[in-house]
Amino acid sequence: MQRKTSSVTSTMPDVDLSYDLPLLLSSEASEDWASAADVVTAAGDSWGLQNEGSSHHGHELTFLHTVQLRSLKSLSGELSMDSSEARLLDLRTGDERGTSTTHPKESEHHQETSVDTGLEASPGFSASCLTTAELQQHWRAVKQEIRCIKLLFEIPSTRTIEQATSRYVVYKIVVIRSGSYDGERVAIERRYSDFLHLHHQLLQDFSEELEDISLPRKKLVGNFSEENIAERRVALCDYLTQLYSLRYIRRSPAFIAFFTHSELKAAHDLLRGGRFSQALEILQSALLLQEKLSTHDATLLVPTLCALVVCQRDLQDFHAAFKTGHRALPAVRRYGLSKYRAPLLEAMVDLGYKMEQPVAQLQAELIKVQNSPREQISLVSLKELVVQEFT
């Protein structure tokens, strides 16, 4: 019996699919399976797979599952693949068998919780017994089981700053990605007052979650003794670890800004002053931190990537600027960041001409964006847009 499929509902997002597929094909061709896996997850949402009752888009799903299997094999080093591969193969063959069971649509909160805890396959697990949202959610869970990445925090040292009217201690904080060797360790420095400001911000939104987490307090006397500084250094490190253990807190703007805001503001001040080399160095370090802290939201990287494009272009490093722009474009397209799309495309086209690279596709996309009645076109250049940040 042939299975009937309903048409895609009118609530599907308006996404141009021509950009996801080439990116996926490119990742597969170069055997960059980690990138392919990330594109698969996002592409599934872009193709409307989260809409209950929508068509499964058979050809696209077959291709997605093929890349998923290969990505899993690469990410796991061909180890312990039997169970994961069997589950994903069951998703494909189960859907082809044509059995169907309707399930209630899961809320966003429940979906994110399932990703964190993992999704265990039950007997008879197949695509037919899942909503399309659950199908994509299951892939995220399987990938997370294989590539579980967490962050560790270290405060290896401190230094005391003495000024004419004040004296304070700064703590060197290192953020480390666990699960594999992290060769890109970035260090930042924060005062106790920065920790205090973070704690007060978090209390406004997460007072219940912070009932069992307290910020180490200063002492009335002896704050600058080596013993007290060493004790507070360990306590502040534990404090950051406890905050990170709470999913809603580690994804909060206040928590992420604690690690990046000061550096990003300093970089943009340098950029506005034309000191592009110094701004570039700070932006690259801030981007590394953002990549570690913002894996849940690719849009948070876009402003920093655009600032890097501006610096690299003004420093005549056109190839690096063009490459950085290509890193930002997928998120700009997929998540509808209209503010950045036209300025970034204009910059990319200009860079392509400077390097005598083919830019016909980028130029066609720019014209399409400019002529689209649904796009909120930014009339400023990418540099003007970047300069406006942190003003």
Side-chain angles (χ1 to χ4, degrees), residues 53-66:
S54 66
S55 169
H56 278 342
H57 303 278
H59 294 296
E60 290 90 340
L61 271 180
T62 300
F63 182 67
L64 289 184
H65 286 310
T66 301

Side-chain angles (χ1 to χ4, degrees), residues 40-57:
V40 165
T41 302
D45 293 334
S46 297
W47 285 336
L49 296 180
Q50 76 275 23
N51 293 280
E52 171 135 12
S54 66
S55 169
H56 278 342
H57 303 278

